[in-house]
Amino acid sequence: CKTKGGAVGDRLAAPIALLKYQTTRSSWKIADECVQICGGRGITRTGMGAKVEGFKNYVKYAAVYGGSEEILADMAVKMGMKAFPKQAKL
């Protein structure tokens, strides 16, 4: 789809990749903290730990399904550098 500022995919690919990277990292940190708070119960599949275990497994599945974090971060940097003005100095 072409718009005034260029193709929408070209403009949104890097921010979306960084957003996914940040949300999966944050979710994994939350899941890890939940396991730490619950202790041994946080890794059981029954009782109180079932929700924590389910969330932890879901977070890992979502992170892998959407693309590897390292690949997304690398893609976002490359896309951002492409859009960076050539005459600008870093």
Side-chain angles (χ1 to χ4, degrees), residues 17-72:
L18 286 175
L19 178 65
K20 191 226 177 261
Y21 176 79
Q22 182 181 5
T23 55
T24 55
R25 296 288 290 222
S26 298
S27 297
W28 186 251
K29 184 165 176 58
I30 291 168
D32 188 48
E33 292 294 323
C34 287
V35 170
Q36 291 296 320
I37 290 169
C38 293
R41 291 182 179 174
I43 56 173
T44 59
R45 294 186 188 266
T46 58
M48 189 171 75
K51 298 290 185 189
V52 176
E53 178 72 14
F55 178 66
K56 186 174 61 116
N57 290 337
Y58 173 76
V59 167
K60 194 62 177 169
Y61 172 75
V64 171
Y65 181 72
S68 171
E69 293 176 349
E70 294 82 16
I71 292 171
L72 286 173

Side-chain angles (χ1 to χ4, degrees), residues 1 5 29 39 45 64 74 79 81:
C1 178
K29 184 165 176 58
R45 294 186 188 266
V64 171
D74 187 49
M79 296 288 290
M81 292 300 288

